[in-house]
């Protein structure tokens, strides 16, 4: 991580809470919202994001590891914390009241034995694979797993879940078929107690209203980005993360001047260049070379030549009045007089050849964050 003093990732907690209220309304009164704060809240900062959501009424949190769950409890987060990758150790689950996702018989038995030793009870969510092709038991194993969990002391079934692989694509038939498998398995099951059933992510929240069940698990929509590849009908989400830097040097160079390593770019006309203290160590990947633009004085300045470890070069020949120290927006909105523009996470993702999720994680985890 390079914590350059020039660079700031800004996290707008007002936008976060706006998105939370919006998705709660979309989920409706009978469906709980689990807010996904795994992976340092998609780069937005695990504890500050969870605290803000908890204060706004969020009662379910999703983390990847028990360690993230422990951090939340130590910060005083109340409510249910679901550990998506489960846990081989029972102690943090018991000591900090965390709910593991389970998908392995031996693991369930070990959790049971440990809970009995501690005279504790561990609630678990059983994960089914209805076509994700990743974590989870196969649908035909569900009955046997549920019976086993119900017969073991120290553990109890609190939820049954699955995950959609294609809810963000145009192939709606597959998502509907997978939800049907999920529904059928649940219908055939008799469970002694009420369990939370959940399968929908952000894309399914927006596009498949009949897959919401008892709870929706939302990540990217909370952070104000589109979960859908391609254009999304406007739902009013607001981007939570933006990324600002500064111009550290301005210079005029003649036509035919090579810029940065490899001279990937040579100026065609006499040009004014702005050197920026942002590079791949800050998550501004080298794959952005020759593709990206930044905002200076409310206007787009193309990034020229290779992006280096800690620096890159923007062409400001067409932008009058630029000065050293001017704010540079790497991602987000900028206004300057009548000029106004925005660079979205989706746009950066298209330049990087990736998805908005990865852009948020990269920028958020490699820079100092400030909360506004
Ligand atoms: C990350 C994750 C989600 C949230 O997905 P988004 O597309 O960000 O809403 C939901 N469920 C599981 C199992 C996940 O790992």
């Amino acid at each position: 991580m390079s914590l350059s003093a020039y660079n700031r990732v800004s996290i707008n907690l007002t936008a976060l809470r706006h998105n939370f209220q919006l998705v709660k309304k979309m989920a409706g009164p009978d469906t709980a919202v689990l807010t996904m704060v795994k992976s340092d809240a998609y780069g937005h900062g695990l504890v500050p994001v969870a605290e803000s959501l908890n204060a706004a009424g969020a009662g379910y949190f999703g983390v990847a590891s028990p360690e993230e769950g422990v951090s939340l409890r130590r910060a005083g987060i109340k409510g249910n914390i679901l550990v998506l990758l489960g846990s081989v150790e029972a102690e943090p689950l018991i000591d900090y009241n965390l709910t593991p996702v389970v998908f392995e018989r031996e693991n369930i038995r070990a959790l049971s034995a440990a809970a009995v030793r501690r005279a504790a009870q561990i609630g678990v969510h059983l994960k089914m694979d209805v076509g994700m092709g990743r974590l989870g038991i196969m649908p035909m194993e569900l009955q046997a797993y549920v019976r086993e969990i119900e017969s073991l002391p120290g553990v109890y079934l609190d939820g049954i879940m699955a995950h959609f692989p294609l809810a963000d694509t145009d192939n709606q038939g597959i998502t509907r078929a997978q939800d049907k498998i999920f529904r059928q398995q649940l219908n055939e099951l008799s469970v002694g107690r009420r369990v939370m059933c959940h399968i929908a992510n952000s894309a399914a929240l927006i596009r498949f209203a009949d897959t919401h069940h008892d709870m929706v698990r939302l990540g990217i929509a909370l952070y104000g980005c589109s979960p859908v590849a391609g254009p999304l009908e406007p739902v009013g989400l607001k981007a939570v993360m933006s990324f600002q830097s500064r111009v550290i040097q301005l210079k005029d160079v003649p036509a035919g001047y090579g810029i940065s390593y490899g001279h990937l770019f040579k100026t065609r006309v006499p040009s004014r260049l702005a050197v920026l203290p942002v590079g791949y160590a800050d998550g501004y990947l080298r794959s952005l070379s020759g593709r990206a633009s930044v905002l200076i004085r409310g206007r787009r300045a193309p990034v020229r030549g290779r992006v280096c470890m800690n620096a890159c070069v923007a062409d400001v020949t067409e932008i009058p009045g630029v000065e050293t120290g001017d704010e540079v927006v790497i991602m987000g909105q900028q206004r300057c007089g009548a000029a106004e523009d925005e660079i979205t996470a989706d746009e950066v993702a298209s330049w990087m050849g990736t998805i908005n999720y990865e852009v948020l994680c990269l920028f958020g985890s490699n820079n100092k964050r400030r909360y506004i």
Side-chain angles (χ1 to χ4, degrees):
M1 171 152 48
S2 138
L3 291 175
S4 161
Y6 295 109
N7 301 333
R8 280 284 181 283
V9 160
S10 303
I11 306 297
N12 184 337
L13 294 175
T14 309
L16 176 75
R17 287 190 298 263
H18 163 87
N19 296 338
F20 176 63
Q21 299 303 344
L22 197 76
V23 297
K24 249 178 38 176
K25 209 171 287 170
M26 292 172 78
D30 301 327
T31 299
V33 171
L34 180 142
T35 56
M36 271 298 167
V37 293
K38 66 186 181 196
S39 301
D40 210 14
Y42 291 37
H44 294 66
L46 174 66
V47 168
V49 163
E51 279 176 339
S52 175
L53 291 169
N54 216 180
Y60 291 87
F61 297 92
V63 294
S65 65
E67 289 77 10
E68 288 180 328
V70 171
S71 300
L72 289 183
R73 288 291 186 231
R74 286 195 173 143
I77 297 298
K78 306 271 188 296
N80 299 277
I81 300 177
L82 192 62
V83 183
L84 291 166
L85 296 176
S87 179
V88 286
E89 292 183 335
E91 281 64 38
L93 306 177
I94 296 168
D95 294 341
Y96 294 92
N97 186 22
L98 310 176
T99 305
V101 172
V102 295
F103 35 79
E104 274 285 342
R105 188 166 273 116
E106 284 312 313
N107 175 243
I108 299 167
R109 288 178 181 163
L111 294 180
S112 161
V116 168
R117 280 196 297 276
R118 293 276 309 271
Q121 288 285 331
I122 301 175
V124 301
H125 284 220
L126 181 58
K127 181 137 188 196
M128 200 181 0
D129 177 1
V130 295
M132 176 69 191
R134 201 177 65 182
L135 213 54
I137 61 169
M138 297 303 279
M140 58 184 291
E141 300 177 283
L142 183 67
Q143 302 272 357
Y145 264 85
V146 168
R147 274 200 299 278
E148 169 127 26
I149 293 168
E150 291 202 307
S151 72
L152 285 170
V155 292
Y156 64 93
L157 188 68
D158 189 46
I160 299 179
M161 63 185 286
H163 193 38
F164 287 131
L166 291 169
D168 60 328
T169 69
D170 284 333
N171 195 332
Q172 304 210 348
I174 289 193
T175 298
R176 293 194 194 289
Q178 291 176 341
D179 187 58
K180 200 167 156 200
I181 297 173
F182 188 60
R183 218 170 265 281
Q184 272 169 354
Q185 291 296 326
L186 297 177
N187 285 342
E188 286 170 19
L189 205 64
S190 77
V191 184
R193 65 192 306 278
R194 172 148 173 71
V195 299
M196 296 282 279
C197 299
H198 47 108
I199 187 167
N201 54 6
S202 295
L205 168 83
I206 294 167
R207 307 174 83 204
F208 299 95
D210 47 354
T211 67
H212 292 175
H213 298 272
D214 300 322
M215 184 159 76
V216 289
R217 304 186 304 264
L218 307 180
I220 199 74
L222 269 184
Y223 304 108
C225 289
S226 169
V228 179
L232 175 74
E233 70 274 27
V235 292
L237 297 168
K238 292 183 179 165
V240 175
M241 183 187 291
S242 58
F243 184 5
Q244 293 85 19
S245 184
R246 306 220 156 265
V247 174
I248 57 168
Q249 193 197 356
L250 266 182
K251 65 202 285 184
D252 293 303
V253 298
Y257 201 73
I259 294 175
S260 189
Y261 290 118
H263 282 183
L264 212 62
F265 181 86
K266 282 200 172 79
T267 56
R268 277 171 224 115
V269 294
S271 299
R272 174 160 287 186
L273 306 177
V275 183
L276 315 179
V278 183
Y280 53 80
D282 311 295
Y284 204 62
L285 298 191
R286 197 162 172 272
S287 58
L288 292 165
S289 302
R291 295 166 178 242
S293 290
V294 297
L295 302 180
I296 304 179
R297 302 218 155 212
R299 296 173 59 182
R300 280 181 186 238
V303 171
R304 301 294 198 200
R306 283 254 158 79
V307 173
C308 311
M309 191 180 291
N310 301 110
C312 66
V313 179
D315 188 333
V316 294
T317 312
E318 304 292 326
I319 306 177
V322 178
E323 290 173 15
T324 300
D326 275 1
E327 182 197 65
V328 177
V329 169
I330 306 294
M331 182 176 79
Q333 289 179 318
Q334 193 186 48
R335 189 183 316 158
C336 180
E340 185 176 0
D341 207 340
E342 179 176 14
I343 292 173
T344 63
D346 280 307
E347 204 171 358
V348 177
S350 73
W351 295 330
M352 269 191 198
T354 182
I355 53 174
N356 50 24
Y357 298 69
E358 193 176 11
V359 171
L360 300 181
C361 288
L362 271 171
F363 287 177
S365 54
N366 287 294
N367 293 283
K368 273 188 201 148
R369 288 182 295 238
R370 119 185 112 177
Y371 292 86
I372 47 180

